[in-house]
């Protein structure tokens, strides 16, 4: 007889197409959340995916429920306008949802956002004898240009509420897990998803940066500046959204004196994004090394590059060099366009099977670790 496992109630922020008219917030973390949920289902769990996402519309919406598969049910909390929206949604969860759907011994898997009501969730976990697991992807206070140590300490105190953790890096675990609780690591979407498309086959090596274009992380601009020091048999593609105007000015300045071709490809989403990067050779995961936030987050684009068979170039920072994926990453150690270009030129393009096998190992390792964590 198959073991009956507890239900997992995964609390996060998300929207789905069925409720798009409500204009609920839909952050870019969805792909990793879907991966974690599918891993849970593969392990035999039923998952209730509970979204606390607020609406951009200034109106009331009732709670919603939709069956996504045999083992996954999506719940959307009610939305009311004004400052009480968050409190209203959590009290609905603790009093109405919990009474109908949570059984003693179930598991709360909670995605760390600034809006989570840890006091209410801890009280519920204690009352119903639930296992409370906190998924922590970054420390938000380190993302700002100026970091307040007082606010960092407050955020760390905010995270001392669960029974177990799910982290994206070992360095984050070292910072947050002050009580030495059980934890597992998931750096990103480990499934191999490379599109079955041919490379460009034009005799050139195609590099791609895909992601946010901003002045804080600076990755897109770094890619353009490094292109100036690449030879004519290289092409650098930029895909993304954000401060596009500043990026185009940078390209207009550098392109005339660069032998390497630089192309801004605009924003691509979903399968179009996967299709495009699958045809490239090198994935550029460029961030400013000196910024504090690098130590406490993991670049999701790096995992996706590997999932599409690319050879990534990334900064030589602790959480990447310690990663289970490090064997197929080429590192640069200086925030300098010439140093980045030198790293790009030093990449030894791996056979697709080499990267595919590594991703399969990472996927199986995570599944094993997650099963142990929740047992």
């Amino acid at each position: 007889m198959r073991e009956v496992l507890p239900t997992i109630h995964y609390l996060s922020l998300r929207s789905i197409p069925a409720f798009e008219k409500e204009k609920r917030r839909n952050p870019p973390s969805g792909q990793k959340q879907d991966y974690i949920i599918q891993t849970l289902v593969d392990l035999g769990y039923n998952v209730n995916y509970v979204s606390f996402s607020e609406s951009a519309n200034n109106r009331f919406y009732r709670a919603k429920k939709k069956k996504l598969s045999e083992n996954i049910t999506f719940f959307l909390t009610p939305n009311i306008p004004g400052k009480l929206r968050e409190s209203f949604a959590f009290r609905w969860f603790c009093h109405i949802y919990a009474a109908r759907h949570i059984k003693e011994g179930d598991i709360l898997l909670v995605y760390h956002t600034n809006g989570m009501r840890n006091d209410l969730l801890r009280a519920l976990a204690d009352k119903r004898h639930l296992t409370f697991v906190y998924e922590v992807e970054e420390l938000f206070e380190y993302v700002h240009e100026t970091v307040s140590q007082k606010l960092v300490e407050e955020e760390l105190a905010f995270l001392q509420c669960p029974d177990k953790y799910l982290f994206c890096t070992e360095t984050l675990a070292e910072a947050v897990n002050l009580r030495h609780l059980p934890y597992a690591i998931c750096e990103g979407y480990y499934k191999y998803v490379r599109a079955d498309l041919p490379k460009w086959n034009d005799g050139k090596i195609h590099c791609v940066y895909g992601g946010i274009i901003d002045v804080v992380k600076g990755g897109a601009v770094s890619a353009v500046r490094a292109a100036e020091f690449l030879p004519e048999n290289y092409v650098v593609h930029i895909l993304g959204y954000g401060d596009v105007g500043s990026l185009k000015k940078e390209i207009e300045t550098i392109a005339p004196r660069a032998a390497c071709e630089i192309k801004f490809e605009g924003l691509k989403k979903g399968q179009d994004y996967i299709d495009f990067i699958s045809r490239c050779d090198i994935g550029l995961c460029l961030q400013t090394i000196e910024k504090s936030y690098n130590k406490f987050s993991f670049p999701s684009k790096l995992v996706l590059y590997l999932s599409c068979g690319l050879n990534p170039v990334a900064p030589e920072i602790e959480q990447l060099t310690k990663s289970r994926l490090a064997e197929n990453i080429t590192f640069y150690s200086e925030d300098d366009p010439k140093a980045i270009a030198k790293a790009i030129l030093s990449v030894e393009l791996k056979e697709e099977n080499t990267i595919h096998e590594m991703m399969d190992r990472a996927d199986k390792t995570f599944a094993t670790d997650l099963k142990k964590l929740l047992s």
Side-chain angles (χ1 to χ4, degrees):
M1 182 180 292
R2 185 178 180 182
E3 180 186 5
V4 178
L5 297 174
T7 297
I8 294 181
H9 307 269
Y10 190 4
L11 280 55
S12 185
L13 304 176
R14 190 74 184 280
S15 184
I16 60 174
F19 307 127
E20 62 183 354
K21 290 182 180 179
E22 296 189 13
K23 294 184 179 179
R24 300 283 189 139
R25 177 184 173 191
N26 200 23
S29 56
Q31 186 192 48
K32 183 174 181 180
Q33 292 177 26
D34 289 344
Y35 169 66
I36 291 170
I37 288 173
Q38 189 56 54
T39 303
L40 291 167
V41 169
D42 292 343
L43 291 172
Y45 290 96
N46 289 321
V47 179
N48 284 356
Y49 195 171
V50 186
S51 172
F52 289 78
S53 182
E54 74 271 21
S55 172
N57 297 332
N58 189 35
R59 55 166 294 184
F60 169 74
Y61 290 109
R62 296 181 182 276
K64 303 291 192 306
K65 174 184 175 181
K66 186 171 179 62
K67 192 83 171 173
L68 301 183
S69 71
E70 182 182 353
N71 305 100
I72 305 170
T73 305
F74 182 82
F75 293 83
L76 194 56
T77 59
N79 183 84
I80 62 171
K83 296 181 179 179
L84 296 177
R85 188 211 68 80
E86 184 179 285
S87 178
F88 182 76
F90 274 93
R91 293 191 183 279
W92 170 88
F93 174 79
C94 290
H95 297 291
I96 297 176
Y97 174 90
R100 294 176 181 173
H101 302 287
I102 294 181
K103 297 178 181 178
E104 187 169 312
D106 280 354
I107 298 170
L108 284 181
L109 174 54
V110 180
Y111 188 94
H112 170 41
T113 72
N114 286 327
M116 282 298 168
R117 286 294 304 272
N118 294 346
D119 54 338
L120 297 178
L121 298 177
R122 183 69 261 176
L124 176 66
D126 291 340
K127 181 180 179 181
R128 305 294 287 272
H129 304 288
L130 311 176
T131 301
F132 186 175
V133 183
Y134 222 127
E135 179 187 348
V136 186
E137 298 292 339
E138 63 183 324
L139 290 177
F140 297 126
E141 293 305 328
Y142 277 97
V143 178
H144 305 301
E145 280 287 304
T146 303
V147 176
S148 163
Q149 194 56 39
K150 178 176 180 292
L151 293 178
V152 169
E153 290 172 3
E154 288 178 1
E155 185 173 7
L156 288 173
F158 178 81
L159 293 171
Q160 303 309 307
C161 58
D163 304 304
K164 302 177 180 182
Y165 290 102
L166 182 59
F167 292 111
C168 64
T169 69
E170 289 287 353
T171 50
L172 186 59
E174 291 168 9
V176 174
N177 192 11
L178 305 179
R179 295 181 293 148
H180 307 290
L181 298 173
Y183 70 93
I185 299 292
C186 179
E187 296 157 327
Y189 188 91
Y190 293 132
K191 296 291 186 185
Y192 197 73
V193 296
R194 186 187 182 278
D196 187 18
L197 294 170
K199 300 286 186 177
W200 267 280
N201 293 326
D202 56 2
K204 296 186 176 183
I205 296 173
H206 289 257
C207 310
V208 62
Y209 171 91
I212 190 169
I213 299 167
D214 70 354
V215 296
V216 177
K217 294 189 176 182
V221 171
S222 294
V224 173
R225 290 175 179 170
E228 182 178 356
F229 303 99
L230 295 175
E232 61 183 9
N233 63 321
Y234 280 74
V235 180
V236 170
H237 304 272
I238 311 290
L239 285 70
Y241 60 96
D243 192 359
V244 173
S246 295
L247 178 74
K248 287 183 175 179
K249 288 180 181 177
E250 195 75 26
I251 293 173
E252 289 171 2
T253 300
I254 291 175
R257 60 176 186 257
C260 166
E261 187 177 3
I262 308 169
K263 293 183 174 182
F264 176 62
E265 307 286 358
L267 176 62
K268 295 185 185 296
K269 297 181 179 180
Q271 192 58 46
D272 286 343
Y273 180 77
I274 298 294
D275 289 349
F276 190 96
I277 64 174
S278 292
R279 300 189 68 193
C280 296
D281 305 295
I282 295 174
L284 303 178
C285 184
L286 311 182
Q287 293 184 357
T288 306
I289 293 175
E290 298 302 320
K291 296 294 183 182
S292 310
Y293 65 79
N294 277 333
K295 187 176 181 181
F296 301 111
S297 64
F298 196 93
S300 58
K301 69 170 69 67
L302 186 147
V303 187
L304 188 58
Y305 289 154
L306 287 164
S307 293
C308 291
L310 274 66
N311 299 259
V313 170
E316 190 176 13
I317 50 181
E318 185 179 9
Q319 73 271 34
L320 299 189
T321 58
K322 285 184 173 181
S323 165
R324 58 180 59 137
L325 308 175
E327 65 189 87
N328 283 315
I329 303 172
T330 300
F331 294 104
Y332 63 90
S333 57
E334 296 178 65
D335 282 326
D336 175 75
K338 290 183 179 178
I340 295 171
K342 184 178 179 180
I344 293 170
L345 291 169
S346 73
V347 171
E348 295 182 10
L349 298 178
K350 307 286 196 312
E351 292 289 334
E352 184 183 339
N353 285 345
T354 301
I355 298 174
H356 194 166
E357 289 169 3
M358 182 192 69
M359 297 305 288
D360 285 347
R361 289 197 303 272
D363 181 37
K364 290 174 183 175
T365 298
F366 171 59
T368 300
D369 291 347
L370 188 59
K371 181 178 181 180
K372 182 179 178 182
L373 180 72
L374 300 179
S375 296

